Every structure is written in structure tokens, then in C-alpha cells.
Amino acid sequence: MRKLEKALAGAALAAMVAGLCPAAHAAEVKREIAGTLADGTQVSAITLTADNGISATVLSYGATLQKLLAPDSNGRVADVLLGYDELSDYVEHPNYFGVTVGRYANRIAGGRFTLDGKTYQLPLNDGRNSLHGGDHGFDKTAWEVVSTKSGPTASVVLRHVSPDGDSGYPGRVVATVTYTLDEAGNLGIAFEAKTDKPTVINMTNHAIFDMAGEGSGNGAMGQMLTIPASHFTPVDANLIPTGELRPVEGSVFDFRQARRVADGLRDGTDQQIVYGRGYDHNFALDKGVTARPELAARLEDPASGRVLEVLTTEPGVQFYSGNFLDGTLIGKQGHLYRMGDGIALEPQKFPDAPNHPDFVSARVDPGKPYRHVMIYRLSTSR
């Protein structure tokens, strides 16, 4: 019965994302062994491939989006994600490349929050803060592959059970991530989580993009970014939101019209840029929380013509300009990753929301599952 329930849940999520991403012809799924963890657990690599040249490879370790291949305006295919070629590097040199982050994406101040009068302490893995669920978050565990499916929309469903008290969070949480790919160039990612006691959940994908192709000589800083947000959440010196919603107008945070990523990146007169060493900020999307995914960001590489649109049901998107890539990580094809070689666009609840009553709540209760649906939509501009 449990296997049937899991299959039905995965099918429901796949159908939901498929309904948001109209499909044409068949897309294929291929499953291989990516390697084995120290405890003997086998990790799978599942590749979803469409006829239009787009394909996505997902590792069951961390429910990680390892590769995303996309053609340019001339049909040349490149991997647009920073990351590693080998499973061992994701384990031994973690840097959140393409992973599913949880239980709580982004930062929680002091690693503490209070729920129903009880204070919970989380691991401090980011100076004074807890980041992306702590040292042993959703990104550092092997997920179960529940199902894979080829057809008009290819899909893979992954599942992870986080016990009560895991990394300090209350509640036993059963989480699923469903990746889908259709012929229109839509890679859907649907997150769902159920809990047996009140808790906080904020899941997203942490892909780092270079639309010119991973390892390109110029990185992502010359690419054109649009974020439909009139406000952002400024941070303090510890990168924790102050609670203010600040207008972007007249500042280097105004991406309502397409601008080069690099244009405001070195503006040392803006204290927010100084705090973040560049952009590492949450943007409050004008659309707010929506029932169906709507546009959160658009990234275009003028040279190749590749375009990425990020859609989400969530109220915010974290724009991170790769400020902590310092040349110490060797990624795919032996490429040395440096500051600005890629950017992350992470749809989410706002950072530190459990400690800001005015922010959209991240609380999840029994019988009221958490859901977040996002889409990476790939196309070309010419």
C-alpha cells in the first residue's frame, strides 16, 4: 500500500507540473549508477532527454540537478550548470551546486526560531547563522528514487524522510521532489513535504547558471538579467534580512528592465553590495504567492542567444552572483570556478522568515502539506 501511495503521489505531482508545461512529442528517461557512498548506498543518475536537444541529469544524492544541456541559437548544445562530473566531488567538496536545499533554504539568524512558544536551535554552519538546513541538510543525503517515466513529459520522483529533530527541526517530514521535462523546453521541479507536527519548511533548487555554457571564458557577468520585483529585502552584515522591504528604484537592485549582471556588482558606494560581496539578496516578487508558477527571473546570454526563465509559486527569489567562488573548486571538465562564473536564482520563502512575522509564513502543519512548484524554461532569443 505504501508503494502505491508513493507512486500515486509522484504521479500527481508530475501531472501538476506537466499541466503547467505543455508538451509535444515523447521525452525519454535513462537511469544509471552514478557511484556508491561510503555506507554502501548506490546513487543513481537519471537523465531526462527531449528531442529538441534539451536534457537534464538528476543525481539521487541531494536530489541534485547535475547537468542541464541546452542548444544555442545555432543549435550548439552546452551544459549551462556549474557543478562536478563525479559523485565523489559532490560528497567531498559540497558547494550546493544544483542541489535540493532544505529543510530551510537560505539563512536563519542565530540558527534559532520559535514555534508555538518553543525555541529550536539549528546547526550554525554559516558564521552566526544556519544556512540551507545546516551541515546535514537535504543536499547531503541519498534520496529514494520512487519512479521514472518516459512519455510526452518525462519525469523522476525522489523521496526523503527527515526524522523528528533532524538538524534541530521539529516534526517527521516526508519530502518529495519531482523533476519533469517536456518538448517545449520546460524543466519543472515540484517540491512537496508533509509533517506530523508543526515545523518550518522552505525548499528550492540551488542551480548556478552560466548561459554561455559552464566554464565559459567570460562567466555570467555580461548576461542580461530581469527580475520583476519592485522591492528587495536588505540585509545586515551577517546577511540576515533587517525586516525592511526596500524599493529597488534608483538603486543597483533595479532589474525590472533587463540589465547586465555586472553593472552594479562593484558599486562599493552601496552598503548592500559591500555586505554581500556583490549580489546575495532576496527579491520580493511583485506577483507574491501564486497558485501557478509565474515569472521570477529571466537570464539571457547575448552571445549564444540562450535564455533561461525561472517561474515559481513562491513570493521571493534569491539572486546570488557567485561571490564566494574563489578559485579553490575544480568543477566540470577541470574548470576552475571563480567569482562571477555563474549565478543562482533561487525561488523561495524569504530568508529568516520564521523570525519575521511580517514575511510570508514558512510554517507547515499536519494535514496541510507544503508545496512549491518551479520551472526552468529554456529557449533562444533568435
Side-chain angles (χ1 to χ4, degrees):
M1 179 61 72
R2 175 166 289 187
K3 289 183 178 180
L4 177 60
E5 289 174 351
K6 289 189 289 186
L8 290 173
L13 278 175
M16 177 172 62
V17 178
L20 296 164
C21 307
H25 304 96
E28 298 295 327
V29 176
K30 181 180 180 181
R31 181 175 177 178
E32 301 175 304
I33 300 300
T36 304
L37 301 178
D39 65 359
T41 302
Q42 275 195 340
V43 174
S44 294
I46 303 97
T47 300
L48 314 179
T49 303
D51 290 338
N52 58 4
I54 295 173
S55 72
T57 299
V58 176
L59 298 178
S60 57
Y61 181 77
T64 299
L65 181 58
Q66 182 189 23
K67 299 179 184 177
L68 185 57
L69 305 184
D72 67 8
S73 294
N74 296 312
R76 290 187 291 262
V77 174
D79 187 354
V80 298
L81 295 184
L82 276 62
Y84 299 118
D85 292 316
E86 302 296 332
L87 168 66
S88 58
D89 287 317
Y90 286 94
V91 177
E92 297 167 12
H93 308 289
N95 201 60
Y96 301 112
F97 292 129
V99 300
T100 293
V101 286
R103 290 188 189 186
Y104 199 94
N106 218 309
R107 295 174 174 88
I108 293 182
R112 290 188 301 275
F113 66 92
T114 300
L115 198 63
D116 294 336
K118 182 176 180 179
T119 298
Y120 297 90
Q121 180 65 55
L122 314 174
L124 303 182
N125 62 325
D126 181 56
R128 301 177 183 179
N129 309 319
S130 185
L131 175 67
H132 295 328
D135 292 317
H136 301 286
F138 286 1
D139 60 301
K140 297 178 181 69
T141 189
W143 291 57
E144 173 193 0
V145 179
V146 176
S147 66
T148 62
K149 184 179 180 182
S150 299
T153 299
S155 65
V156 56
V157 182
L158 303 109
R159 179 180 183 267
H160 171 58
V161 178
S162 175
D164 184 18
D166 190 12
S167 293
Y169 289 90
R172 178 182 184 270
V173 167
V174 180
T176 59
V177 179
T178 301
Y179 287 89
T180 61
L181 179 66
D182 70 13
E183 289 296 328
N186 299 289
L187 178 67
I189 310 177
F191 306 93
E192 184 177 45
K194 299 178 181 179
T195 182
D196 63 357
K197 66 172 64 171
T199 190
V200 295
I201 299 175
N202 183 32
M203 296 171 65
T204 193
N205 185 273
H206 200 287
I208 299 181
F209 293 94
D210 178 1
M211 297 310 292
E214 172 276 333
S216 71
N218 296 322
M221 296 302 97
Q223 294 169 22
M224 303 296 290
L225 177 64
T226 308
I227 301 177
S230 301
H231 295 80
F232 77 106
T233 52
V235 296
D236 62 20
N238 294 310
L239 300 181
I240 293 295
T242 63
E244 176 189 0
L245 287 178
R246 183 177 298 177
V248 300
E249 187 170 359
S251 78
V252 295
F253 289 85
D254 193 348
F255 287 93
R256 291 174 295 177
Q257 300 295 324
R259 284 180 36 224
R260 283 197 330 148
V261 170
D263 285 351
L265 196 61
R266 301 184 186 277
D267 186 356
T269 66
D270 192 311
Q271 187 62 52
Q272 288 298 305
I273 295 294
V274 175
Y275 282 155
R277 303 186 189 181
Y279 293 102
D280 194 1
H281 295 78
N282 169 67
F283 287 72
L285 298 168
D286 292 342
K287 73 176 189 65
V289 178
T290 49
R292 299 170 66 87
E294 295 183 14
L295 186 68
R298 183 183 188 274
L299 183 65
E300 177 182 348
D301 175 42
S304 68
R306 290 191 190 90
V307 175
L308 168 73
E309 292 175 297
V310 181
L311 295 85
T312 181
T313 54
E314 293 290 67
V317 62
Q318 183 84 5
F319 166 33
Y320 166 60
S321 52
N323 318 322
F324 295 93
L325 297 174
D326 59 4
T328 60
L329 293 175
I330 300 174
K332 295 174 180 176
Q333 302 181 69
H335 293 146
L336 198 66
Y337 291 147
R338 308 158 302 165
M339 184 179 292
D341 277 354
I343 72 170
L345 298 162
E346 307 159 58
Q348 58 180 280
K349 297 286 194 306
F350 294 178
D352 202 33
N355 294 312
H356 292 273
D358 291 339
F359 288 174
V360 175
S361 176
R363 179 182 178 125
V364 180
D365 289 301
K368 298 179 180 179
Y370 166 89
R371 289 185 178 89
H372 170 203
V373 182
M374 58 180 286
I375 299 170
Y376 293 137
R377 177 172 292 163
L378 297 163
S379 62
T380 58
S381 59
R382 58 183 188 276

